[in-house]
Amino acid sequence: MTETDRRMMARALALAQKGVGQVSPGPLVGCVIVSSSGEIVGEGHYVFEELNHAETIALATAGEKARGGTAYVSLEPHAHHGRTPPCTDALIAAGIKRVVAPIEDLNPKVSGKGFAHLQAAGVEVETGLLSDEATRVNEAYLHYMRTRRPFVHLKLAVSLDGKIATRTGDSHWVTGVEARERVQELRHAYDAILVGAGTVAKDDPLLTDRSGLRRRRALVRVVLDNHLRLSPDSKLAKTTSEAPVVLIGRSGNTDHLNKGVEILSFDPSDLCLVLTELGRRSIQSVLVEGGASVAGSFIDANLVNKVTFFIAPKIVGGSDAPSAIAGRGFERMTHALELERLEITQRGRDLEITGYPAGQSM
Ligand SMILES: NC(=O)c1ccc[n+]([C@@H]2O[C@H](COP(=O)([O-])OP(=O)(O)OC[C@H]3O[C@@H](n4cnc5c(N)ncnc54)[C@H](OP(=O)(O)O)[C@@H]3O)[C@@H](O)[C@H]2O)c1
């Protein structure tokens, strides 16, 4: 494949990302149509509400100029009748000669069938170009398709000495404005946000998506709360009309709570069950925002798919001040959870470090 192929696929991936917050439970898809003379004649990206898929939007702009051209699609085109007719039919009917798509769509209705349909119709299919990048763009969707459980991204803000609050429990704010704005951007990309009862009791957080960006489904706010002790005066309980609140716990009187607070009655220490239940509600991705106990439980259960720490250049000190991760922890340094595929970005005075647990398949 050529440098032009690489550039066009990078463009298709950038288009795909315009759909962040607007596609779930579907995938992010971008498409670029290049004519036989090498000119970009059509572009599109998928947004759930608009029904049309990236390929059909791009083909509609290209019109007759698509004939004999190449379609760069960030994910395998689908060949079945779903909410829309098959995109493979549209590509074939438009006379596309070559389709470049990096990865298969793991949706069992699509997987491999889209490529096979195109090839059977005589369309040249090339896969693998920028496949790591394409996988990353759809990491939550692909994980959900594989496991039917949400992709778990653990995010915490810590001081240089690893504290998430002071010894009095004060955590406002560990990081500066730029890092906090970045957190809103992260929330925007997720279907749900999850915290423990401790964080709700101590911080009374709102946990909404305040990125200002358009989103299709409200961010679901999940609290692991064994004794269902959420206060009716908490910001969460008072804002159920803005975004749903789901409490997961075993027992407790909930008569005092606003009817908008949904209660799931089971043991929240069974995190596999928590994730299965969220997956059943077609929640593809969860941003776990702490606190230390919940973060520790997810690490101990080996259920974290991605980690982001914001590190502030300040020292909090105090043996009673909570550090980022509680739980059991690892016995030996050689067993510690190592992150790979690291990305380190400066956010104002703070650092954002993101990585994936080593050895996890992409
Ligand atoms: N800097 C940051 O990024 C950040 C983020 C969040 C919080 N914080 C700080 O962290 C502190 C709170 O941390 P925390 O450890 O006390 O609270 P937490 O992790 O938010 O909540 C822990 C509580 O959640 C409940 N829970 C239910 N299921 C659980 C499970 N599977 N695993 C763990 N907990 C479960 C338990 O209470 P019940 O038995 O009552 O259900 C448990 O005591 C606060 O000071 C807050 O300000 C900092």
Side-chain angles (χ1 to χ4, degrees):
M1 278 183 260
T2 64
E3 190 43 45
T4 305
D5 287 335
R6 177 174 283 274
R7 240 181 334 106
M8 294 304 153
M9 185 50 70
R11 176 80 195 135
L13 288 168
L15 285 166
Q17 287 176 90
K18 288 190 174 188
V20 169
Q22 296 179 71
V23 297
S24 183
L28 290 161
V29 189
C31 175
V32 177
I33 308 284
V34 175
S35 70
S36 53
S37 60
E39 187 196 347
I40 294 181
V41 289
E43 290 187 335
H45 71 274
Y46 175 58
V47 171
F48 187 92
E49 305 295 3
E50 286 173 20
L51 267 183
N52 286 327
H53 282 187
E55 298 91 318
T56 46
I57 296 168
L59 287 170
T61 327
E64 264 310 298
K65 290 184 184 158
R67 201 156 291 282
T70 299
Y72 296 87
V73 196
S74 62
L75 188 69
E76 178 181 15
H78 75 115
H80 68 286
H81 286 269
R83 288 198 315 141
T84 65
C87 281
T88 48
D89 281 352
L91 291 161
I92 295 162
I96 288 290
K97 196 171 157 225
R98 177 172 173 250
V99 169
V100 182
I103 52 170
E104 270 187 26
D105 184 336
L106 297 186
N107 180 345
K109 288 187 195 146
V110 185
S111 189
K113 299 183 184 86
F115 290 147
H117 184 209
L118 292 168
Q119 280 163 332
V123 178
E124 196 185 321
V125 172
E126 300 201 53
T127 61
L129 179 66
L130 299 187
S131 59
D132 286 356
E133 290 80 349
T135 302
R136 182 151 183 184
V137 164
N138 270 313
E139 59 194 7
Y141 170 80
L142 295 169
H143 173 87
Y144 180 74
M145 282 299 149
R146 236 185 342 250
T147 63
R148 289 284 150 191
R149 285 188 193 153
F151 181 85
V152 175
H153 186 167
L154 173 65
K155 171 251 134 187
L156 285 164
V158 300
S159 63
L160 210 49
D161 53 338
K163 305 292 189 187
I164 57 170
T166 66
R167 68 184 152 81
T168 61
D170 180 24
S171 64
H172 288 160
W173 299 101
V174 178
T175 49
V177 167
E178 292 87 345
R180 299 205 308 274
E181 279 173 6
R182 169 69 183 142
V183 170
Q184 296 300 327
E185 229 176 87
L186 284 181
R187 286 182 182 177
H188 181 67
Y190 281 78
D191 289 343
I193 190 166
L194 183 150
V195 296
T199 296
V200 174
K202 287 194 185 114
D203 296 355
D204 189 21
L206 188 53
L207 303 176
T208 49
D209 169 358
R210 298 188 291 280
S211 63
L213 302 167
R214 200 166 158 253
R215 66 180 296 138
R216 185 177 105 73
R217 304 192 292 187
L219 183 67
V220 179
R221 299 169 295 170
V222 181
V223 184
L224 303 187
D225 186 359
N226 266 304
H227 309 291
L228 305 174
R229 57 186 164 111
L230 180 74
S231 158
D233 297 322
S234 62
K235 287 187 188 140
L236 286 176
K238 283 176 155 173
T239 55
T240 49
S241 58
E242 235 174 274
V245 173
V246 176
L247 283 196
I248 303 181
R250 282 178 297 186
S251 59
N253 184 350
T254 55
D255 295 348
H256 60 293
L257 284 174
N258 166 345
K259 293 281 171 274
V261 177
E262 189 180 356
I263 316 286
L264 300 183
S265 301
F266 60 86
D267 181 357
S269 62
D270 185 346
L271 292 179
C272 285
L273 189 56
V274 168
L275 293 178
T276 302
E277 183 52 37
L278 297 180
R280 218 176 52 75
R281 292 153 180 261
S282 76
I283 289 176
Q284 277 186 4
S285 56
V286 177
L287 189 64
V288 174
E289 288 207 21
S293 310
V294 161
S297 298
F298 272 91
I299 294 282
D300 287 345
N302 194 22
L303 286 170
V304 174
N305 303 109
K306 186 173 185 176
V307 177
T308 295
F309 268 50
F310 291 92
I311 304 177
K314 56 175 78 155
I315 292 170
V316 172
S319 39
D320 290 339
S323 60
I325 313 280
R328 251 187 345 270
F330 297 99
E331 266 177 37
R332 306 186 65 87
M333 198 49 88
T334 48
H335 299 162
L337 182 69
E338 273 201 55
L339 302 182
E340 58 185 20
R341 291 180 271 145
L342 295 180
E343 254 180 41
I344 303 175
T345 315
Q346 179 114 26
R347 304 279 175 197
R349 284 168 46 77
D350 308 316
L351 279 188
E352 175 183 354
I353 302 187
T354 292
Y356 297 82
Q360 199 174 83
S361 61
M362 277 186 85

